[in-house]
Amino acid sequence: MSEPALSCGNCRQPMQRLALPGHYGRRVELDLCPRCHLVWFDQTETARLTGVGLLELIGAMAGTQSLPHETLHDTARCPRCSAGLKTVHNRSRWGSSLQLECRNRHGAFQSFAQFLQEKGLLRPMSRVDRARLVEQRGHVDCVNCGGAIGRDDEECRFCRSVPALLDVARLARALDPEGVLEPQAVHGATAERTAMQCAACGAALPPQQSLACAQCGATLAISRLAQAHDSVAALGPALRAHAHKPAPEVIKRRLDALDADLPRRRELAAQWQAEAQEARHGRSFDWEQWTTWWPFDTNPLRAVLIALAIWFIWWFW
């Protein structure tokens, strides 16, 4: 049975418990605070999310951005033990990210923007991006809380997040890391495409063309989380079908990857075994050395000595 939802360590209100699809058919449980726009996770829960799980989590995040934002207080606590929180700076292949970690290591809070940044789904908003969004909507939407950011604001006045854009093409690849949805337009580019090319069709992009591609019309970056989720929600059914029954070529690709990695795994296992034997011999009696002193082959003299020792013990007992 799933445990009940925790109370948020910031606003003290019950958080939303999410049971999301994880790898190997498992469910990954996370707690989301819709008022504070925070996600609470234990250990490495987010690393165990499948593409479908990530899609559902972003959908849940987007559904909370219509609510007024609750400011993050200095008195925020761990929802499990009420201990204080400390700021932890993490490094990933996408750059640096932040989280508020329980001092007793029960888990950590991340804002929506911090989570998306850690996954490499956000990119900085240029002046051209900002000017175009302001021209279209009159303001810029905060990717974290959904609040309106003014033309000259350097951060969101509600949650203090830095204005950023969600990279839709990179989100689509994060949802589909195995490339099973190749027919989708957003997967048409290889990972070697430069930042100045459309991630959907590969066409060259001028510096001022960063929100949408003039060649194919693909949306490249979005400031509203709900709009970003809507743009990739169509991938959901195909991803669920793939999770239920992967295609034969995908299974073969997985097996080939395991075969290629087998020598490294064997070498690592041999190294672990050698280290364990060395540690065991260093703190316990060396059985192999003892057998060299007292071999198990038949020796009459040893048998006589053992018999005398047993008789001596029995006589004086």
Side-chain angles (χ1 to χ4, degrees), residues 270-282:
Q271 178 182 351
W272 288 347
Q273 184 178 7
E275 292 176 354
Q277 290 178 347
E278 182 180 355
R280 183 173 65 252
H281 292 165

Side-chain angles (χ1 to χ4, degrees), residues 54-65:
L54 178 60
L55 180 62
E56 292 183 8
L57 177 57
I58 292 179
M61 289 178 174
T64 68
Q65 290 190 331

Side-chain angles (χ1 to χ4, degrees), residues 11-313:
C11 68
R12 307 299 191 266
Q13 298 298 315
M15 291 192 288
Q16 181 181 354
R17 171 59 55 91
L18 302 176
L20 305 173
H23 295 291
Y24 309 109
R26 298 182 178 180
R27 306 294 290 181
V28 178
E29 293 190 346
L30 299 172
D31 294 278
L32 182 147
C33 181
R35 303 166 189 81
C36 304
H37 302 104
L38 294 173
V39 180
W40 171 264
F41 56 91
D42 302 320
Q43 304 302 325
T44 57
E45 285 175 331
T46 58
R48 300 196 297 269
L49 286 174
T50 62
V52 177
L54 178 60
L55 180 62
E56 292 183 8
L57 177 57
I58 292 179
M61 289 178 174
T64 68
Q65 290 190 331
S66 60
L67 299 176
H69 178 74
E70 177 75 23
T71 303
L72 182 63
H73 307 293
D74 295 335
T75 57
R77 298 285 176 175
C78 169
R80 294 195 176 276
C81 67
S82 298
L85 303 173
K86 61 179 180 180
T87 302
V88 176
H89 297 259
N90 294 325
R91 294 288 301 179
S92 70
R93 60 175 177 163
W94 305 110
S96 60
S97 62
L98 298 176
Q99 65 183 34
L100 292 175
E101 185 178 281
C102 169
R103 295 187 180 275
N104 294 327
R105 298 185 178 275
H106 286 133
F109 275 119
Q110 275 188 319
S111 69
F112 294 176
Q114 289 167 351
F115 171 81
L116 297 171
Q117 175 66 34
E118 184 182 55
K119 297 299 181 183
L121 302 177
L122 297 186
R123 67 172 178 80
M125 182 183 296
S126 68
R127 291 184 178 274
V128 176
D129 297 331
R130 183 189 290 250
R132 181 164 299 178
L133 288 172
V134 170
E135 180 183 354
Q136 292 175 355
R137 302 174 186 170
H139 65 274
V140 177
D141 299 301
C142 175
V143 74
N144 181 66
C145 69
I149 299 177
R151 181 187 298 270
D152 300 321
D153 292 342
E154 296 184 358
E155 62 180 23
C156 175
R157 58 183 178 178
F158 303 104
C159 66
R160 300 179 182 175
S161 295
V162 178
L165 293 172
L166 196 146
D167 192 317
V168 179
R170 189 176 290 175
L171 171 59
R173 289 199 182 90
L175 298 176
D176 180 29
E178 293 185 302
V180 299
L181 305 180
E182 292 294 346
Q184 300 293 326
V186 78
H187 295 90
T190 61
E192 290 75 22
R193 298 291 187 187
T194 65
M196 297 307 296
Q197 287 177 302
C198 172
C201 68
L205 293 175
Q208 69 272 15
Q209 194 77 31
S210 57
L211 297 179
C213 176
Q215 183 71 23
C216 67
T219 301
L220 304 180
I222 299 176
S223 61
R224 284 194 64 82
L225 201 54
Q227 187 180 355
H229 177 262
D230 291 342
S231 66
V232 295
L235 304 179
L239 291 174
R240 292 183 179 88
H242 166 67
H244 178 69
K245 186 178 181 180
E249 58 271 18
V250 175
I251 296 177
K252 182 179 182 302
R253 196 186 312 162
R254 293 175 181 176
L255 294 176
D256 292 342
L258 290 175
D259 289 341
D261 194 46
L262 191 57
R264 184 189 68 84
R265 292 175 181 270
R266 286 175 175 171
E267 182 180 353
L268 187 60
Q271 178 182 351
W272 288 347
Q273 184 178 7
E275 292 176 354
Q277 290 178 347
E278 182 180 355
R280 183 173 65 252
H281 292 165
R283 65 175 181 270
S284 62
F285 189 76
D286 193 337
W287 176 261
E288 294 181 356
Q289 185 177 5
W290 185 86
T291 56
T292 59
W293 295 343
W294 295 90
F296 287 100
D297 54 341
T298 303
N299 189 319
L301 179 59
R302 186 172 73 246
V304 171
L305 292 176
I306 293 175
L308 288 175
I310 295 174
W311 176 84
F312 184 82
I313 294 173

